[in-house]
């Protein structure tokens, strides 16, 4: 199964998710797509199988991904301090991939029905959801 992890800024969220996926021993191909080189490098360091940076890799990856994971802001144009372009948000929204969105109440996106969880707990829940998607 092809999992695309998209992150920006420092790539810390994507890095933590990939590290947890690898630690859980889940069997999937992980493509790390960063909106900047720092984010891509962080996710590759965590154990992604391959990585790419920028708008076009997001557009291409969305066409072939089976699962896309990342902070909820990846669905909103101009989020992540402007790193998500309108074309990226559209490609993500139109992708037939399942989306595993991490509820981060930042970038003007407030998610109702979620309690304030630590980033560590969010990653635990994301890995559990991914297990069910891979089963």
């Amino acid at each position: 199964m092809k999992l695309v992890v998209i992150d920006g800024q420092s790539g810390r969220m994507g890095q933590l998710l990939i590290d947890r996926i690898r630690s859980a021993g889940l069997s999937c191909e992980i493509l790390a797509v960063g909106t900047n080189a720092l984010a891509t490098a962080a996710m590759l360091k965590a154990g992604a199988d391959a990585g790419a940076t920028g708008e076009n890799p997001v557009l291409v990856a969305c066409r072939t991904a089976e699962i896309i994971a990342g902070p909820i802001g990846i669905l909103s144009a101009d989020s992540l301090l402007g790193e998500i372009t309108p074309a990226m948000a559209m490609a993500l929204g139109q992708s037939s991939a399942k989306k595993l969105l991490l509820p981060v109440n930042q970038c003007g996106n407030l998610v109702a029905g979620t309690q304030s969880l630590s980033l560590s707990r969010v990653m635990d829940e994301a890995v559990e959801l991914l297990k069910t998607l891979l089963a």
Side-chain angles (χ1 to χ4, degrees), residues 5-23:
V5 179
I6 299 174
D7 199 6
Q9 298 179 358
S10 70
R12 180 76 175 135
M13 190 170 295
Q15 180 182 32
L16 285 171
L17 180 59
I18 292 168
D19 183 56
R20 294 286 179 98
I21 292 167
R22 292 299 186 214
S23 294

Side-chain angles (χ1 to χ4, degrees), residues 76-87:
S76 298
D78 299 331
S79 65
L80 277 66
L81 298 176
E83 292 183 16
I84 299 297
T85 67

Side-chain angles (χ1 to χ4, degrees), residues 52-109:
T53 303
E55 181 181 69
N56 200 58
V58 170
L59 304 182
V60 172
C62 286
R63 293 193 297 249
T64 60
E66 294 172 87
I67 303 171
I68 298 170
I72 197 166
I74 63 175
L75 294 178
S76 298
D78 299 331
S79 65
L80 277 66
L81 298 176
E83 292 183 16
I84 299 297
T85 67
M88 289 174 171
M90 184 181 296
L92 285 153
Q94 291 178 339
S95 175
S96 62
K98 296 218 183 284
K99 283 105 179 155
L100 178 58
L101 302 172
L102 306 172
V104 180
N105 290 329
Q106 295 176 0
C107 299
N109 297 308

Side-chain angles (χ1 to χ4, degrees), residues 34-53:
T35 59
N36 62 64
L38 183 64
T40 304
M43 292 187 285
L44 284 168
K45 184 177 178 183
D49 296 303
T53 303

